[in-house]
């Protein structure tokens, strides 16, 4: 079976409620959806995204520029595509928009491989679990304390047993107040994670905040300082008792290796599109296993779920609702709040054609 065509469409997904990351407001998630057609009628699906539609056209053009590397490719040769694609963009750069585009195409190749055999990607790879412990990424900096209360109560009703909130406000007293308020709603039995989202420039300031919120039993302290300086992350990780999580802005497995060598974190979080696709994601996870470091996925809950089912050192599968409207099937959870690995072929989630535009 061979690839005969690569086509792209876009999806504009407005967020249910505008929220702030601390750097900018997010109004929409905008996706470049990739469809690989074959000579036997199967179609593989993948995607990459931007926020607020910025640089969507550039990203789409980058995806289309990879078409010559997949036309005529046999389905079992996704590794050949990855090798050739990273070589093809070498002069342009292997990170940034190159990695995002390569990821989307490789995702579609893996989706096809699962569909070819009629099984989920997790079973093509060799799953070691049928459900992955999950947390929900929510409670952004733009929420008031009253809104945090309501959101926490709603997430508990949905069955989540691990919840991430955001910190990193200019006034650390407000961060402490917000963390305390959320912990009071969650009670002692729900895992509470804190994400500083690289908003704190000084390691010393980040260490001070971590020590102040430690009493609220924080499961991890994420992106504690600017990620462009992993030495600073290592400084924070060495100074506090809360486990540090980082890695979502790191590109390729080589970047993860650098974080591991520096002991920059206790948990690493490869991002599927910044890694450059499933192959690089799994390389990163294997490197982490060699260093006895657990792995949590970042965003892409639909596709990351199958990969995390195969990662021996899996920590958490991140659920975020950004892409729910893109897919026809929901991510489901068991009674423990763990994400259930789909039994459907490919990634197990089909893009809804009604949300696509040319």
């Amino acid at each position: 079976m061979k690839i005969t065509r690569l086509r792209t469409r876009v999806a504009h997904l407005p967020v249910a409620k505008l929220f702030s990351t601390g750097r900018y407001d997010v109004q929409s998630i905008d996706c470049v959806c990739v469809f690989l057609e074959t000579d036997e009628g199967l179609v593989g699906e993948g995607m990459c995204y931007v926020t607020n539609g910025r640089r969507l056209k550039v990203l789409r053009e980058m995806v289309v520029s990879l078409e010559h590397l997949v036309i005529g490719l046999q389905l079992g040769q996704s590794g050949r595509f990855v090798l050739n694609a990273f070589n093809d963009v070498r002069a342009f750069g292997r990170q940034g928009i190159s990695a995002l585009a390569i990821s989307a195409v490789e995702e579609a190749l893996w989706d096809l491989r699962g569909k070819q055999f009629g099984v989920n990607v997790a079973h093509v790879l060799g799953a070691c679990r049928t459900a992955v412990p999950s947390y929900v990424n929510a409670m952004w900096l733009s929420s008031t304390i009253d809104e945090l209360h309501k959101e926490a109560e709603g997430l508990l009703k949905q069955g989540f047993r691990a919840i991430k909130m955001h910190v990193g406000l200019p006034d650390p007293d407000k961060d402490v107040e917000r963390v305390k308020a959320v912990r009071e709603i969650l009670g002692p039995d729900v895992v509470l994670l804190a994400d500083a989202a690289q908003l704190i420039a000084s390691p010393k300031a980040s260490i001070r905040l971590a020590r102040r919120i430690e009493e609220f039993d924080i499961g991890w302290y994420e992106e504690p300082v600017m990620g462009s300086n992993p030495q600073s992350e290592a400084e924070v990780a060495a100074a506090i008792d809360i486990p540090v999580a980082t890695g979502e802005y790191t590109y390729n497995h080589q970047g993860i290796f650098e974080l591991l060598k520096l002991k920059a974190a206790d948990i690493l979080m490869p991002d599927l599109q910044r890694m450059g696709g499933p192959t690089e994601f799994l390389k990163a996870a294997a490197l982490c296993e060699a260093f006895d470091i657990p792995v949590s996925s970042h965003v892409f809950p639909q596709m990351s779920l199958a990969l995390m089912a195969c990662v021996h050192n899996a920590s958490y599968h991140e659920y975020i609702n950004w892409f729910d409207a893109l897919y026809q099937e929901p991510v489901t959870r068991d009674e423990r709040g763990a994400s259930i690995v789909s039994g459907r072929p490919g990634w197990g989630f089909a893009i809804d054609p009604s949300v696509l535009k040319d």
Side-chain angles (χ1 to χ4, degrees), residues 47-209:
M47 70 91 171
C48 48
Y49 81 96
V50 298
T51 55
N52 299 332
R54 294 170 185 156
R55 291 164 288 278
L56 186 68
K57 292 181 180 179
V58 177
L59 182 55
R60 188 176 190 178
E61 284 299 317
M62 192 66 181
V63 169
V64 172
S65 77
L66 301 171
E67 182 179 25
H68 68 288
L69 299 175
V70 289
I71 299 302
L73 196 69
Q74 296 280 355
L75 290 201
Q77 296 180 322
S78 59
R80 178 180 175 183
F81 164 75
V82 174
L83 180 63
N84 289 342
F86 277 113
N87 284 332
D88 195 64
V89 301
R90 184 176 295 274
F92 190 81
R94 295 162 59 97
Q95 300 182 356
I97 203 165
S98 298
L100 274 60
I102 291 170
S103 175
V105 177
E106 194 197 358
E107 290 159 11
L109 284 168
W110 283 46
D111 188 48
L112 272 173
R113 195 67 186 277
K115 290 174 177 176
Q116 180 184 23
F117 295 112
V119 298
N120 190 271
V121 168
H123 301 141
V124 174
L125 291 169
C128 56
R129 56 184 65 84
T130 58
V132 185
S134 177
Y135 76 86
V136 58
N137 184 353
M139 294 189 282
W140 299 86
L141 292 177
S142 47
S143 297
T144 66
I145 286 185
D146 285 344
E147 289 171 334
L148 290 175
H149 279 165
K150 293 177 182 177
E151 190 170 2
E153 290 169 348
L155 294 171
L156 290 175
K157 289 179 181 177
Q158 292 177 51
F160 289 104
R161 306 303 298 164
I163 297 173
K164 184 166 80 178
M165 69 176 298
H166 291 255
V167 297
L169 290 168
D171 182 354
D173 289 342
K174 292 183 178 179
D175 276 329
V176 176
E177 181 184 10
R178 290 159 62 86
V179 172
K180 179 181 179 182
V182 171
R183 173 52 79 192
E184 288 174 350
I185 295 295
L186 298 184
D189 298 327
V190 174
V191 176
L192 177 60
L193 310 172
D195 185 357
Q198 300 189 10
L199 292 171
I200 305 174
S202 162
K204 290 183 179 179
S206 191
I207 290 167
R208 286 195 296 269
L209 176 60

Side-chain angles (χ1 to χ4, degrees), residues 158-343:
Q158 292 177 51
F160 289 104
R161 306 303 298 164
I163 297 173
K164 184 166 80 178
M165 69 176 298
H166 291 255
V167 297
L169 290 168
D171 182 354
D173 289 342
K174 292 183 178 179
D175 276 329
V176 176
E177 181 184 10
R178 290 159 62 86
V179 172
K180 179 181 179 182
V182 171
R183 173 52 79 192
E184 288 174 350
I185 295 295
L186 298 184
D189 298 327
V190 174
V191 176
L192 177 60
L193 310 172
D195 185 357
Q198 300 189 10
L199 292 171
I200 305 174
S202 162
K204 290 183 179 179
S206 191
I207 290 167
R208 286 195 296 269
L209 176 60
R211 288 174 175 167
R212 292 184 66 186
I213 63 175
E214 182 180 350
E215 66 175 290
F216 304 112
D217 191 19
I218 303 302
W220 78 41
Y221 186 45
E222 185 177 334
E223 301 280 318
V225 286
M226 291 299 295
S228 57
N229 189 350
Q231 289 87 354
S232 294
E233 291 180 310
E235 182 181 341
V236 175
I240 67 175
D241 291 328
I242 305 173
V244 166
T246 195
E248 67 190 65
Y249 284 98
T250 301
Y251 286 93
N252 315 131
H253 74 275
Q254 294 96 335
I256 292 293
F257 187 43
E258 292 303 313
L259 293 177
L260 290 165
K261 288 191 294 184
L262 289 168
K263 298 182 179 179
D266 305 285
I267 300 135
L268 286 178
M269 314 173 68
D271 175 279
L272 182 57
Q273 72 173 9
R274 293 192 186 100
M275 281 293 100
T279 296
E280 285 290 310
F281 183 100
L282 292 174
K283 285 181 181 180
L287 281 170
C288 290
E289 186 176 9
F291 281 77
D292 294 321
I293 294 293
V295 166
S296 175
S297 59
H298 179 255
V299 193
F300 298 95
Q302 287 77 10
M303 290 180 286
S304 293
L305 180 53
L307 298 177
M308 292 298 288
C310 306
V311 172
H312 293 187
N313 49 323
S315 169
Y316 279 113
H317 166 249
E318 180 182 53
Y319 170 75
I320 192 167
N321 64 6
W322 289 358
F323 308 105
D324 287 2
L326 181 65
Y327 292 99
Q328 298 180 49
E329 303 87 2
V331 176
T332 56
R333 291 174 293 280
D334 64 17
E335 68 282 356
R336 300 167 298 139
S339 299
I340 299 171
V341 180
S342 170

